[in-house]
Amino acid sequence: MLRSGKEHLERLRDGRIVYVGNERIDDVTSHPLFRNAARTVAAIYDMKADPANRERMSFAEGGERYSMYFLQARTPEDLRRRMRAHQAIADMTYGMLGRSPDHVASFVTGMAMNPAVFVSGARPFAENLSAYYRHMRAQDLYAAYAVVPPQAARNPDFYVKQNLPVPTLQVVREGDDGIVISGMKMLATAAVFADEVWIGNLIPLAPDQVKQAVTCAVPVNAKGLTLWSRQAFAAANEFDSPLAWRFDETDSMVMCDDVKVPWERVFVMDDALLAREIYIRTPAHCYGNHQSNVRYWSKLKLIVGLASRVAQSTGADQVPAVRELLGRLAALEATLAGMIHGQIEAWETWPEGYATFNRRLMYAALNWCTEMYSPLIDILRELSGGGVFQMPASVGVMHDPQLRHLFESYWQTPQLPALDRIKLFKLVWDLVGSEFAGRHLQYEKFYAGASFIVRNHNYREAPWDAFHQYADDLLASYGVPEA
Ligand SMILES: Cc1cc2nc3c(=O)[nH]c(=O)nc-3n(C[C@H](O)[C@H](O)[C@H](O)COP(=O)(O)OP(=O)(O)OC[C@H]3O[C@@H](n4cnc5c(N)ncnc54)[C@H](O)[C@@H]3O)c2cc1C
């Protein structure tokens, strides 16, 4: 089934509870803080369901059509099809939605390619996982995830010694019909627009943190679950904050207060090691973060395009040093494109019978993206100079004939009329300097974990034996020179 945008919006009116400060939001599809981004998500569903995009955005299996990001690849061409579908979603949202519907779905698809990893204890967790994958793709579900314990709450001893509740989400009871979970997880991006929250542990747990070692899927409207959103980036109008207006996917703490989860939706339980390994012993992490790479690529194209437009608008594009800078930006965009295509060309036959993006190249791109976002944004910031603050506070000047006349006369340049300039610089500011931009800076640094976590993935996957052998061969090829 391919869900339409209208159907998705209807699904979001399900009694979910979202707090912004002490304001309770009952309907994210109509509340001014959320409705524009909700429409953006709906537009993704419409684009997927449009018959014109059928081949690019979906695949057929057993007489049904499913979103392409549920495809379990068996050939490099399948990997290409996945990449093109991610790209279509990322391009239409300019790479601004980190957790678009294809992100967590790609994780679950990757896990379902190696369900044997989930075999643990007496419960049929592997079957649960496979059934959940089939359920997700059949219903075209949108899942967000919260897979990190809250900051500063990673040492349960502190709370236990002081007789305080441990804030980290854990299993508090279990029975014949399922488990009960309580506590918090950070920081489910886009959960307010999703159907389900995947709860898990992407960073290692200590062996004694067994009750926190739970992986399960919970509907966003589950009784006892509340989403505590950060401040939403309220934009007065689209013109003045074009990115925040459409693309504030929001980030929420997931608070569970005695939330019941039926056994069928539990995938890992009481196994601190396995809770993390499900992501790396299956293609989950690779499929999910390939999507992140492709999404970032779309954003980088916007950065490069705007940088050149800004340089043209000030006339700086005529300066050789500025052209050189633009050339460097274009080279960086092409570098990422190469890293993404390379993940497909150097594909891996893993697990048995399936195709997976090259893990090392994927992690290298992830590291590159994490390290490069600040310098990339800084280039755009530098090219913009004070232009962003020469502009009136609001496009409202256009509504006052006298102000409009002055604005159009004095703010124009040989390169651009005044209205085009304010439009360009308002967009640039939303990418380099607004609150929305600041959140994106933080997102790009942390979405896959802090930088040391990303580098550890690269360390883990590196063929050290081969590197050592290579170095040792050279060392062995000469000895002490004769006296
Ligand atoms: C905008 C945004 C959206 C997010 N969305 C999601 C989401 O959808 N789902 C989700 O599960 N999580 C999400 N996260 C959370 C993200 O996974 C975490 O921020 C990330 O894992 C880092 O954890 P932390 O923020 O607690 O930082 P910490 O682990 O506390 O690290 C902070 C800093 O401390 C230093 N540091 C700490 N420990 C070490 C160490 N061992 N070695 C070296 N340096 C260290 C580093 O400088 C590090 O950058 C999001 C985060 C942000 C900012």
PDB file of all heavy atoms in Angstrom, residues 99 144-152 154 186-190 203 230 251 439 442-443 446-453, ligand 1:
ATOM      1  N   ARG A  99      15.133  13.059   9.427  1.00  0.00           N
ATOM      2  CA  ARG A  99      14.428  11.800   9.698  1.00  0.00           C
ATOM      3  C   ARG A  99      13.168  11.720   8.855  1.00  0.00           C
ATOM      4  O   ARG A  99      12.065  11.530   9.361  1.00  0.00           O
ATOM      5  CB  ARG A  99      14.052  11.674  11.167  1.00  0.00           C
ATOM      6  CG  ARG A  99      15.159  11.816  12.185  1.00  0.00           C
ATOM      7  CD  ARG A  99      16.401  11.018  11.923  1.00  0.00           C
ATOM      8  NE  ARG A  99      17.200  10.916  13.147  1.00  0.00           N
ATOM      9  CZ  ARG A  99      18.506  10.773  13.196  1.00  0.00           C
ATOM     10  NH1 ARG A  99      19.214  10.723  12.085  1.00  0.00           N
ATOM     11  NH2 ARG A  99      19.143  10.669  14.331  1.00  0.00           N
ATOM     12  N   ALA A 144       9.853   7.152  13.699  1.00  0.00           N
ATOM     13  CA  ALA A 144      11.000   7.937  14.176  1.00  0.00           C
ATOM     14  C   ALA A 144      11.736   7.027  15.158  1.00  0.00           C
ATOM     15  O   ALA A 144      11.247   5.954  15.485  1.00  0.00           O
ATOM     16  CB  ALA A 144      10.506   9.187  14.869  1.00  0.00           C
ATOM     17  N   TYR A 145      12.931   7.450  15.613  1.00  0.00           N
ATOM     18  CA  TYR A 145      13.534   6.620  16.655  1.00  0.00           C
ATOM     19  C   TYR A 145      14.168   7.440  17.761  1.00  0.00           C
ATOM     20  O   TYR A 145      14.558   8.590  17.590  1.00  0.00           O
ATOM     21  CB  TYR A 145      14.481   5.554  16.116  1.00  0.00           C
ATOM     22  CG  TYR A 145      15.721   5.966  15.347  1.00  0.00           C
ATOM     23  CD1 TYR A 145      16.205   7.259  15.322  1.00  0.00           C
ATOM     24  CD2 TYR A 145      16.440   4.991  14.653  1.00  0.00           C
ATOM     25  CE1 TYR A 145      17.362   7.578  14.617  1.00  0.00           C
ATOM     26  CE2 TYR A 145      17.588   5.296  13.946  1.00  0.00           C
ATOM     27  CZ  TYR A 145      18.037   6.593  13.935  1.00  0.00           C
ATOM     28  OH  TYR A 145      19.170   6.907  13.250  1.00  0.00           O
ATOM     29  N   ALA A 146      14.219   6.774  18.927  1.00  0.00           N
ATOM     30  CA  ALA A 146      14.876   7.348  20.105  1.00  0.00           C
ATOM     31  C   ALA A 146      15.774   6.238  20.618  1.00  0.00           C
ATOM     32  O   ALA A 146      15.311   5.286  21.247  1.00  0.00           O
ATOM     33  CB  ALA A 146      13.845   7.748  21.141  1.00  0.00           C
ATOM     34  N   VAL A 147      17.057   6.346  20.303  1.00  0.00           N
ATOM     35  CA  VAL A 147      17.973   5.234  20.561  1.00  0.00           C
ATOM     36  C   VAL A 147      19.162   5.651  21.428  1.00  0.00           C
ATOM     37  O   VAL A 147      20.198   4.985  21.424  1.00  0.00           O
ATOM     38  CB  VAL A 147      18.455   4.613  19.218  1.00  0.00           C
ATOM     39  CG1 VAL A 147      17.329   3.818  18.564  1.00  0.00           C
ATOM     40  CG2 VAL A 147      18.967   5.667  18.243  1.00  0.00           C
ATOM     41  N   VAL A 148      18.981   6.757  22.157  1.00  0.00           N
ATOM     42  CA  VAL A 148      20.059   7.253  23.010  1.00  0.00           C
ATOM     43  C   VAL A 148      19.458   7.604  24.376  1.00  0.00           C
ATOM     44  O   VAL A 148      18.421   8.268  24.441  1.00  0.00           O
ATOM     45  CB  VAL A 148      20.720   8.509  22.389  1.00  0.00           C
ATOM     46  CG1 VAL A 148      21.881   8.984  23.251  1.00  0.00           C
ATOM     47  CG2 VAL A 148      21.210   8.234  20.970  1.00  0.00           C
ATOM     48  N   PRO A 149      20.115   7.160  25.462  1.00  0.00           N
ATOM     49  CA  PRO A 149      19.592   7.547  26.776  1.00  0.00           C
ATOM     50  C   PRO A 149      19.798   9.036  27.006  1.00  0.00           C
ATOM     51  O   PRO A 149      20.669   9.645  26.380  1.00  0.00           O
ATOM     52  CB  PRO A 149      20.441   6.728  27.757  1.00  0.00           C
ATOM     53  CG  PRO A 149      21.650   6.328  27.009  1.00  0.00           C
ATOM     54  CD  PRO A 149      21.324   6.334  25.551  1.00  0.00           C
ATOM     55  N   PRO A 150      19.005   9.634  27.889  1.00  0.00           N
ATOM     56  CA  PRO A 150      19.142  11.081  28.080  1.00  0.00           C
ATOM     57  C   PRO A 150      20.529  11.440  28.606  1.00  0.00           C
ATOM     58  O   PRO A 150      21.117  10.694  29.388  1.00  0.00           O
ATOM     59  CB  PRO A 150      18.057  11.425  29.098  1.00  0.00           C
ATOM     60  CG  PRO A 150      17.662  10.138  29.712  1.00  0.00           C
ATOM     61  CD  PRO A 150      17.965   9.061  28.738  1.00  0.00           C
ATOM     62  N   GLN A 151      21.015  12.581  28.143  1.00  0.00           N
ATOM     63  CA  GLN A 151      22.354  13.028  28.531  1.00  0.00           C
ATOM     64  C   GLN A 151      22.432  13.121  30.053  1.00  0.00           C
ATOM     65  O   GLN A 151      21.462  13.506  30.698  1.00  0.00           O
ATOM     66  CB  GLN A 151      22.596  14.407  27.918  1.00  0.00           C
ATOM     67  CG  GLN A 151      24.035  14.704  27.671  1.00  0.00           C
ATOM     68  CD  GLN A 151      24.203  15.947  26.825  1.00  0.00           C
ATOM     69  OE1 GLN A 151      23.404  16.867  26.934  1.00  0.00           O
ATOM     70  NE2 GLN A 151      25.234  15.987  26.018  1.00  0.00           N
ATOM     71  N   ALA A 152      23.557  12.786  30.603  1.00  0.00           N
ATOM     72  CA  ALA A 152      23.831  12.887  32.040  1.00  0.00           C
ATOM     73  C   ALA A 152      23.062  11.855  32.862  1.00  0.00           C
ATOM     74  O   ALA A 152      23.113  11.881  34.077  1.00  0.00           O
ATOM     75  CB  ALA A 152      23.551  14.291  32.562  1.00  0.00           C
ATOM     76  N   ARG A 154      23.382   8.524  32.192  1.00  0.00           N
ATOM     77  CA  ARG A 154      23.912   7.240  31.741  1.00  0.00           C
ATOM     78  C   ARG A 154      24.583   6.478  32.880  1.00  0.00           C
ATOM     79  O   ARG A 154      25.164   5.423  32.666  1.00  0.00           O
ATOM     80  CB  ARG A 154      24.873   7.470  30.569  1.00  0.00           C
ATOM     81  CG  ARG A 154      24.081   7.934  29.369  1.00  0.00           C
ATOM     82  CD  ARG A 154      24.895   8.559  28.276  1.00  0.00           C
ATOM     83  NE  ARG A 154      24.001   9.317  27.419  1.00  0.00           N
ATOM     84  CZ  ARG A 154      24.394  10.157  26.477  1.00  0.00           C
ATOM     85  NH1 ARG A 154      25.666  10.348  26.252  1.00  0.00           N
ATOM     86  NH2 ARG A 154      23.523  10.814  25.758  1.00  0.00           N
ATOM     87  N   MET A 186      16.354  10.291  24.435  1.00  0.00           N
ATOM     88  CA  MET A 186      16.530  11.428  23.547  1.00  0.00           C
ATOM     89  C   MET A 186      16.709  10.870  22.129  1.00  0.00           C
ATOM     90  O   MET A 186      17.164   9.739  21.995  1.00  0.00           O
ATOM     91  CB  MET A 186      17.712  12.295  23.984  1.00  0.00           C
ATOM     92  CG  MET A 186      19.082  11.641  23.812  1.00  0.00           C
ATOM     93  SD  MET A 186      20.437  12.584  24.532  1.00  0.00           S
ATOM     94  CE  MET A 186      20.750  13.847  23.312  1.00  0.00           C
ATOM     95  N   LEU A 187      16.401  11.542  21.119  1.00  0.00           N
ATOM     96  CA  LEU A 187      15.799  12.859  20.987  1.00  0.00           C
ATOM     97  C   LEU A 187      15.010  12.752  19.710  1.00  0.00           C
ATOM     98  O   LEU A 187      15.477  13.160  18.682  1.00  0.00           O
ATOM     99  CB  LEU A 187      16.908  13.923  20.890  1.00  0.00           C
ATOM    100  CG  LEU A 187      16.552  15.401  20.915  1.00  0.00           C
ATOM    101  CD1 LEU A 187      15.879  15.853  22.200  1.00  0.00           C
ATOM    102  CD2 LEU A 187      17.809  16.219  20.697  1.00  0.00           C
ATOM    103  N   ALA A 188      13.861  12.076  19.767  1.00  0.00           N
ATOM    104  CA  ALA A 188      13.196  11.573  18.567  1.00  0.00           C
ATOM    105  C   ALA A 188      12.799  12.679  17.583  1.00  0.00           C
ATOM    106  O   ALA A 188      11.729  13.275  17.685  1.00  0.00           O
ATOM    107  CB  ALA A 188      11.977  10.767  18.966  1.00  0.00           C
ATOM    108  N   THR A 189      13.691  12.902  16.633  1.00  0.00           N
ATOM    109  CA  THR A 189      13.412  13.872  15.584  1.00  0.00           C
ATOM    110  C   THR A 189      12.229  13.401  14.748  1.00  0.00           C
ATOM    111  O   THR A 189      12.137  12.219  14.410  1.00  0.00           O
ATOM    112  CB  THR A 189      14.667  14.039  14.698  1.00  0.00           C
ATOM    113  OG1 THR A 189      15.707  14.554  15.519  1.00  0.00           O
ATOM    114  CG2 THR A 189      14.422  14.979  13.533  1.00  0.00           C
ATOM    115  N   ALA A 190      11.337  14.313  14.452  1.00  0.00           N
ATOM    116  CA  ALA A 190      10.176  14.072  13.576  1.00  0.00           C
ATOM    117  C   ALA A 190       9.128  13.151  14.184  1.00  0.00           C
ATOM    118  O   ALA A 190       8.153  12.823  13.513  1.00  0.00           O
ATOM    119  CB  ALA A 190      10.604  13.538  12.199  1.00  0.00           C
ATOM    120  N   ILE A 203      24.019   3.282  21.384  1.00  0.00           N
ATOM    121  CA  ILE A 203      25.347   3.375  21.991  1.00  0.00           C
ATOM    122  C   ILE A 203      25.479   2.239  23.018  1.00  0.00           C
ATOM    123  O   ILE A 203      24.483   1.785  23.574  1.00  0.00           O
ATOM    124  CB  ILE A 203      25.633   4.770  22.611  1.00  0.00           C
ATOM    125  CG1 ILE A 203      24.630   5.130  23.691  1.00  0.00           C
ATOM    126  CG2 ILE A 203      25.632   5.843  21.558  1.00  0.00           C
ATOM    127  CD1 ILE A 203      24.994   6.423  24.407  1.00  0.00           C
ATOM    128  N   ARG A 230      11.291  20.311  21.695  1.00  0.00           N
ATOM    129  CA  ARG A 230      12.042  21.557  21.900  1.00  0.00           C
ATOM    130  C   ARG A 230      11.192  22.700  21.375  1.00  0.00           C
ATOM    131  O   ARG A 230      10.179  22.473  20.706  1.00  0.00           O
ATOM    132  CB  ARG A 230      13.375  21.511  21.144  1.00  0.00           C
ATOM    133  CG  ARG A 230      13.203  21.388  19.639  1.00  0.00           C
ATOM    134  CD  ARG A 230      14.394  21.892  18.869  1.00  0.00           C
ATOM    135  NE  ARG A 230      14.400  21.376  17.516  1.00  0.00           N
ATOM    136  CZ  ARG A 230      13.614  21.792  16.528  1.00  0.00           C
ATOM    137  NH1 ARG A 230      12.724  22.765  16.746  1.00  0.00           N
ATOM    138  NH2 ARG A 230      13.694  21.256  15.323  1.00  0.00           N
ATOM    139  N   ASP A 251      12.410  18.125  17.322  1.00  0.00           N
ATOM    140  CA  ASP A 251      13.112  17.067  18.059  1.00  0.00           C
ATOM    141  C   ASP A 251      12.431  16.970  19.421  1.00  0.00           C
ATOM    142  O   ASP A 251      12.203  17.992  20.065  1.00  0.00           O
ATOM    143  CB  ASP A 251      14.588  17.434  18.271  1.00  0.00           C
ATOM    144  CG  ASP A 251      15.242  17.914  16.975  1.00  0.00           C
ATOM    145  OD1 ASP A 251      15.500  17.079  16.101  1.00  0.00           O
ATOM    146  OD2 ASP A 251      15.460  19.142  16.836  1.00  0.00           O
ATOM    147  N   ARG A 439      20.058  24.937  14.757  1.00  0.00           N
ATOM    148  CA  ARG A 439      19.630  23.558  15.041  1.00  0.00           C
ATOM    149  C   ARG A 439      20.230  22.596  14.011  1.00  0.00           C
ATOM    150  O   ARG A 439      20.663  21.492  14.334  1.00  0.00           O
ATOM    151  CB  ARG A 439      18.102  23.500  15.065  1.00  0.00           C
ATOM    152  CG  ARG A 439      17.528  22.130  15.382  1.00  0.00           C
ATOM    153  CD  ARG A 439      17.294  21.359  14.116  1.00  0.00           C
ATOM    154  NE  ARG A 439      16.834  19.992  14.372  1.00  0.00           N
ATOM    155  CZ  ARG A 439      16.790  19.066  13.438  1.00  0.00           C
ATOM    156  NH1 ARG A 439      17.158  19.328  12.201  1.00  0.00           N
ATOM    157  NH2 ARG A 439      16.376  17.858  13.715  1.00  0.00           N
ATOM    158  N   GLN A 442      23.769  21.776  14.783  1.00  0.00           N
ATOM    159  CA  GLN A 442      23.842  20.782  15.851  1.00  0.00           C
ATOM    160  C   GLN A 442      23.448  19.397  15.320  1.00  0.00           C
ATOM    161  O   GLN A 442      24.073  18.390  15.646  1.00  0.00           O
ATOM    162  CB  GLN A 442      22.889  21.208  16.984  1.00  0.00           C
ATOM    163  CG  GLN A 442      23.284  20.713  18.358  1.00  0.00           C
ATOM    164  CD  GLN A 442      24.535  21.398  18.866  1.00  0.00           C
ATOM    165  OE1 GLN A 442      25.140  22.232  18.195  1.00  0.00           O
ATOM    166  NE2 GLN A 442      24.951  21.028  20.056  1.00  0.00           N
ATOM    167  N   TYR A 443      22.428  19.395  14.488  1.00  0.00           N
ATOM    168  CA  TYR A 443      21.956  18.119  13.937  1.00  0.00           C
ATOM    169  C   TYR A 443      23.065  17.438  13.142  1.00  0.00           C
ATOM    170  O   TYR A 443      23.342  16.246  13.323  1.00  0.00           O
ATOM    171  CB  TYR A 443      20.722  18.349  13.046  1.00  0.00           C
ATOM    172  CG  TYR A 443      20.181  17.058  12.501  1.00  0.00           C
ATOM    173  CD1 TYR A 443      19.326  16.263  13.267  1.00  0.00           C
ATOM    174  CD2 TYR A 443      20.557  16.591  11.245  1.00  0.00           C
ATOM    175  CE1 TYR A 443      18.858  15.047  12.784  1.00  0.00           C
ATOM    176  CE2 TYR A 443      20.095  15.381  10.760  1.00  0.00           C
ATOM    177  CZ  TYR A 443      19.249  14.615  11.535  1.00  0.00           C
ATOM    178  OH  TYR A 443      18.799  13.406  11.061  1.00  0.00           O
ATOM    179  N   PHE A 446      25.610  15.804  15.245  1.00  0.00           N
ATOM    180  CA  PHE A 446      25.253  14.758  16.213  1.00  0.00           C
ATOM    181  C   PHE A 446      24.286  13.699  15.726  1.00  0.00           C
ATOM    182  O   PHE A 446      23.993  12.768  16.465  1.00  0.00           O
ATOM    183  CB  PHE A 446      24.681  15.414  17.480  1.00  0.00           C
ATOM    184  CG  PHE A 446      25.744  16.041  18.339  1.00  0.00           C
ATOM    185  CD1 PHE A 446      25.922  17.410  18.359  1.00  0.00           C
ATOM    186  CD2 PHE A 446      26.579  15.245  19.102  1.00  0.00           C
ATOM    187  CE1 PHE A 446      26.920  17.982  19.135  1.00  0.00           C
ATOM    188  CE2 PHE A 446      27.577  15.802  19.884  1.00  0.00           C
ATOM    189  CZ  PHE A 446      27.746  17.185  19.900  1.00  0.00           C
ATOM    190  N   TYR A 447      23.763  13.830  14.504  1.00  0.00           N
ATOM    191  CA  TYR A 447      22.673  12.913  14.173  1.00  0.00           C
ATOM    192  C   TYR A 447      23.092  11.455  14.179  1.00  0.00           C
ATOM    193  O   TYR A 447      22.266  10.568  14.392  1.00  0.00           O
ATOM    194  CB  TYR A 447      22.007  13.278  12.843  1.00  0.00           C
ATOM    195  CG  TYR A 447      22.824  13.036  11.593  1.00  0.00           C
ATOM    196  CD1 TYR A 447      22.917  11.776  11.022  1.00  0.00           C
ATOM    197  CD2 TYR A 447      23.484  14.089  10.977  1.00  0.00           C
ATOM    198  CE1 TYR A 447      23.642  11.566   9.861  1.00  0.00           C
ATOM    199  CE2 TYR A 447      24.217  13.888   9.823  1.00  0.00           C
ATOM    200  CZ  TYR A 447      24.299  12.620   9.271  1.00  0.00           C
ATOM    201  OH  TYR A 447      25.020  12.424   8.135  1.00  0.00           O
ATOM    202  N   ALA A 448      24.340  11.185  13.941  1.00  0.00           N
ATOM    203  CA  ALA A 448      24.785   9.785  13.950  1.00  0.00           C
ATOM    204  C   ALA A 448      25.619   9.497  15.194  1.00  0.00           C
ATOM    205  O   ALA A 448      26.385   8.546  15.233  1.00  0.00           O
ATOM    206  CB  ALA A 448      25.576   9.486  12.689  1.00  0.00           C
ATOM    207  N   GLY A 449      25.433  10.324  16.219  1.00  0.00           N
ATOM    208  CA  GLY A 449      26.263  10.204  17.420  1.00  0.00           C
ATOM    209  C   GLY A 449      27.350  11.266  17.382  1.00  0.00           C
ATOM    210  O   GLY A 449      27.626  11.853  16.332  1.00  0.00           O
ATOM    211  N   ALA A 450      27.972  11.497  18.536  1.00  0.00           N
ATOM    212  CA  ALA A 450      29.080  12.465  18.590  1.00  0.00           C
ATOM    213  C   ALA A 450      30.200  11.981  17.666  1.00  0.00           C
ATOM    214  O   ALA A 450      30.254  10.801  17.297  1.00  0.00           O
ATOM    215  CB  ALA A 450      29.567  12.606  20.030  1.00  0.00           C
ATOM    216  N   SER A 451      31.118  12.910  17.336  1.00  0.00           N
ATOM    217  CA  SER A 451      32.117  12.573  16.312  1.00  0.00           C
ATOM    218  C   SER A 451      32.969  11.364  16.696  1.00  0.00           C
ATOM    219  O   SER A 451      33.349  10.562  15.839  1.00  0.00           O
ATOM    220  CB  SER A 451      33.000  13.791  16.024  1.00  0.00           C
ATOM    221  OG  SER A 451      33.572  14.233  17.222  1.00  0.00           O
ATOM    222  N   PHE A 452      33.246  11.211  18.008  1.00  0.00           N
ATOM    223  CA  PHE A 452      34.086  10.062  18.379  1.00  0.00           C
ATOM    224  C   PHE A 452      33.355   8.737  18.113  1.00  0.00           C
ATOM    225  O   PHE A 452      33.984   7.729  17.817  1.00  0.00           O
ATOM    226  CB  PHE A 452      34.565  10.166  19.846  1.00  0.00           C
ATOM    227  CG  PHE A 452      33.489   9.979  20.886  1.00  0.00           C
ATOM    228  CD1 PHE A 452      33.244   8.734  21.427  1.00  0.00           C
ATOM    229  CD2 PHE A 452      32.723  11.052  21.329  1.00  0.00           C
ATOM    230  CE1 PHE A 452      32.261   8.552  22.383  1.00  0.00           C
ATOM    231  CE2 PHE A 452      31.731  10.883  22.278  1.00  0.00           C
ATOM    232  CZ  PHE A 452      31.496   9.628  22.815  1.00  0.00           C
ATOM    233  N   ILE A 453      32.038   8.763  18.179  1.00  0.00           N
ATOM    234  CA  ILE A 453      31.257   7.542  17.880  1.00  0.00           C
ATOM    235  C   ILE A 453      31.372   7.223  16.378  1.00  0.00           C
ATOM    236  O   ILE A 453      31.585   6.077  15.978  1.00  0.00           O
ATOM    237  CB  ILE A 453      29.767   7.767  18.239  1.00  0.00           C
ATOM    238  CG1 ILE A 453      29.610   8.078  19.728  1.00  0.00           C
ATOM    239  CG2 ILE A 453      28.901   6.592  17.781  1.00  0.00           C
ATOM    240  CD1 ILE A 453      29.238   6.948  20.616  1.00  0.00           C
TER     241      ILE A 453
HETATM  242  C1  LIG B   1      19.235  18.031  16.488  1.00  0.00           C
HETATM  243  C2  LIG B   1      19.415  16.641  17.021  1.00  0.00           C
HETATM  244  C3  LIG B   1      18.550  15.633  16.616  1.00  0.00           C
HETATM  245  C4  LIG B   1      18.679  14.349  17.127  1.00  0.00           C
HETATM  246  N1  LIG B   1      17.822  13.371  16.723  1.00  0.00           N
HETATM  247  C5  LIG B   1      17.887  12.146  17.274  1.00  0.00           C
HETATM  248  C6  LIG B   1      16.966  11.120  16.913  1.00  0.00           C
HETATM  249  O1  LIG B   1      16.113  11.286  16.028  1.00  0.00           O
HETATM  250  N2  LIG B   1      17.039   9.939  17.573  1.00  0.00           N
HETATM  251  C7  LIG B   1      17.980   9.698  18.531  1.00  0.00           C
HETATM  252  O2  LIG B   1      17.994   8.601  19.096  1.00  0.00           O
HETATM  253  N3  LIG B   1      18.883  10.643  18.882  1.00  0.00           N
HETATM  254  C8  LIG B   1      18.846  11.844  18.279  1.00  0.00           C
HETATM  255  N4  LIG B   1      19.745  12.805  18.643  1.00  0.00           N
HETATM  256  C9  LIG B   1      20.636  12.521  19.756  1.00  0.00           C
HETATM  257  C10 LIG B   1      21.998  12.150  19.279  1.00  0.00           C
HETATM  258  O3  LIG B   1      21.998  10.789  18.955  1.00  0.00           O
HETATM  259  C11 LIG B   1      22.945  12.470  20.414  1.00  0.00           C
HETATM  260  O4  LIG B   1      23.031  13.875  20.494  1.00  0.00           O
HETATM  261  C12 LIG B   1      24.301  11.891  20.151  1.00  0.00           C
HETATM  262  O5  LIG B   1      24.246  10.497  20.256  1.00  0.00           O
HETATM  263  C13 LIG B   1      25.344  12.426  21.131  1.00  0.00           C
HETATM  264  O6  LIG B   1      24.913  12.226  22.444  1.00  0.00           O
HETATM  265  P1  LIG B   1      24.847  13.468  23.428  1.00  0.00           P
HETATM  266  O7  LIG B   1      24.111  14.560  22.755  1.00  0.00           O
HETATM  267  O8  LIG B   1      24.322  12.975  24.704  1.00  0.00           O
HETATM  268  O9  LIG B   1      26.344  13.919  23.579  1.00  0.00           O
HETATM  269  P2  LIG B   1      27.447  13.321  24.546  1.00  0.00           P
HETATM  270  O10 LIG B   1      27.604  11.864  24.363  1.00  0.00           O
HETATM  271  O11 LIG B   1      27.189  13.810  25.924  1.00  0.00           O
HETATM  272  O12 LIG B   1      28.728  14.009  23.979  1.00  0.00           O
HETATM  273  C14 LIG B   1      28.847  15.435  23.995  1.00  0.00           C
HETATM  274  C15 LIG B   1      30.304  15.765  23.779  1.00  0.00           C
HETATM  275  O13 LIG B   1      31.068  15.321  24.907  1.00  0.00           O
HETATM  276  C16 LIG B   1      32.330  14.844  24.464  1.00  0.00           C
HETATM  277  N5  LIG B   1      32.438  13.426  24.832  1.00  0.00           N
HETATM  278  C17 LIG B   1      31.535  12.722  25.567  1.00  0.00           C
HETATM  279  N6  LIG B   1      31.942  11.463  25.718  1.00  0.00           N
HETATM  280  C18 LIG B   1      33.129  11.340  25.093  1.00  0.00           C
HETATM  281  C19 LIG B   1      34.035  10.269  24.875  1.00  0.00           C
HETATM  282  N7  LIG B   1      33.827   9.050  25.384  1.00  0.00           N
HETATM  283  N8  LIG B   1      35.125  10.506  24.124  1.00  0.00           N
HETATM  284  C20 LIG B   1      35.373  11.720  23.604  1.00  0.00           C
HETATM  285  N9  LIG B   1      34.529  12.796  23.764  1.00  0.00           N
HETATM  286  C21 LIG B   1      33.439  12.605  24.501  1.00  0.00           C
HETATM  287  C22 LIG B   1      32.389  15.083  22.972  1.00  0.00           C
HETATM  288  O14 LIG B   1      32.915  16.349  22.729  1.00  0.00           O
HETATM  289  C23 LIG B   1      30.929  15.088  22.579  1.00  0.00           C
HETATM  290  O15 LIG B   1      30.713  15.751  21.366  1.00  0.00           O
HETATM  291  C24 LIG B   1      19.688  14.080  18.097  1.00  0.00           C
HETATM  292  C25 LIG B   1      20.567  15.081  18.479  1.00  0.00           C
HETATM  293  C26 LIG B   1      20.455  16.343  17.953  1.00  0.00           C
HETATM  294  C27 LIG B   1      21.429  17.396  18.398  1.00  0.00           C
END
